[in-house]
Amino acid sequence: MTATTVLAPEQAHARLHELTVIDVRTPGEYASGHLPGAHNVPLDHLDQALSAFRSVADRGDLLVVCASGARSARACERLAEHGITAATLSGGTSAWTQLGHDIHRPAGARAVWAMERQVRLAAGSIVLAGLAAGRQWPRARLLSAGIAGGLVFSALTDTCGMARVLAKLPHNRPRATDLDATLAALAE
């Protein structure tokens, strides 16, 4: 197994010209802004791209990014299980933009909220709805309790089922990732 390296945004910015950047966010998140030259391979398509990643890693360094660094760290762990060395961007694109580094947006792309923000809105709304409905129907409070339990589970396991569901909504998939085109670009 190969160890995962963590690069601070300043380090990644200084080395960007020599790194192959893989963005593992949803196509909607990627379209809302990504590191210059980044290729979009959503986390759920990672296994399909292993041979391309192996080839890229043999030619140079691979940087995996997401919004906060959590998904990219999971991606790097999965790549390491297959003997592929990759670095993750500490703090993700959020930290990158906070430092004032450029991000690229496709022409005509509309901004999509970060997945973490979408999860907070959905979870908070469901909890409030459960509490409000609980005034009339006490059992409705179980909805709020279920969301609270899901958030605790999410924190303990560093996974998020709600994010997986939200990622499938149309506004998070403005167009499907053309994985074949991305893999062809990586092979060049």
Side-chain angles (χ1 to χ4, degrees):
M1 186 168 344
T2 310
T4 299
T5 305
V6 178
L7 291 181
E10 302 84 14
Q11 295 171 306
H13 187 261
R15 297 186 52 208
L16 194 59
H17 64 282
E18 65 187 54
L19 298 168
T20 300
V21 182
I22 306 298
D23 192 320
V24 295
R25 297 177 300 160
T26 66
E29 290 175 294
Y30 175 81
S32 70
H34 54 272
L35 272 66
H39 301 275
N40 186 222
V41 180
L43 189 58
D44 58 349
H45 291 29
L46 198 67
D47 290 337
Q48 298 168 353
L50 287 174
S51 62
F53 291 152
R54 189 171 285 109
S55 174
V56 169
D58 288 344
R59 294 191 314 259
D61 292 332
L62 189 61
L63 176 65
V64 182
V65 301
C66 68
S68 67
R71 284 178 279 180
S72 60
R74 281 197 310 272
C76 286
E77 289 171 8
R78 192 174 317 159
L79 292 174
E81 291 170 1
H82 293 278
I84 301 169
T85 302
T88 184
L89 180 63
S90 174
T93 56
S94 297
W96 180 269
T97 56
Q98 284 176 353
L99 292 173
H101 298 311
D102 280 344
I103 58 169
H104 287 217
R105 288 184 179 91
R110 59 186 173 80
V112 174
W113 282 5
M115 188 56 64
E116 181 181 340
R117 185 176 181 191
Q118 292 181 47
V119 168
R120 290 192 314 256
L121 175 67
S125 298
I126 294 169
V127 167
L128 284 175
L131 291 174
R135 298 185 73 176
Q136 177 86 22
W137 305 283
R139 291 185 138 196
R141 291 184 187 133
L142 293 174
L143 184 61
S144 299
I147 294 297
L151 290 171
V152 169
F153 179 80
S154 174
L156 293 174
T157 61
D158 199 22
T159 62
C160 188
M162 187 177 286
R164 287 189 181 134
V165 171
L166 291 173
K168 298 194 182 313
L169 292 175
H171 66 274
N172 284 323
R173 294 187 176 270
R175 62 178 173 75
T177 297
D178 187 352
L179 189 59
D180 292 334
T182 301
L183 297 179
L186 288 171
E188 295 175 353

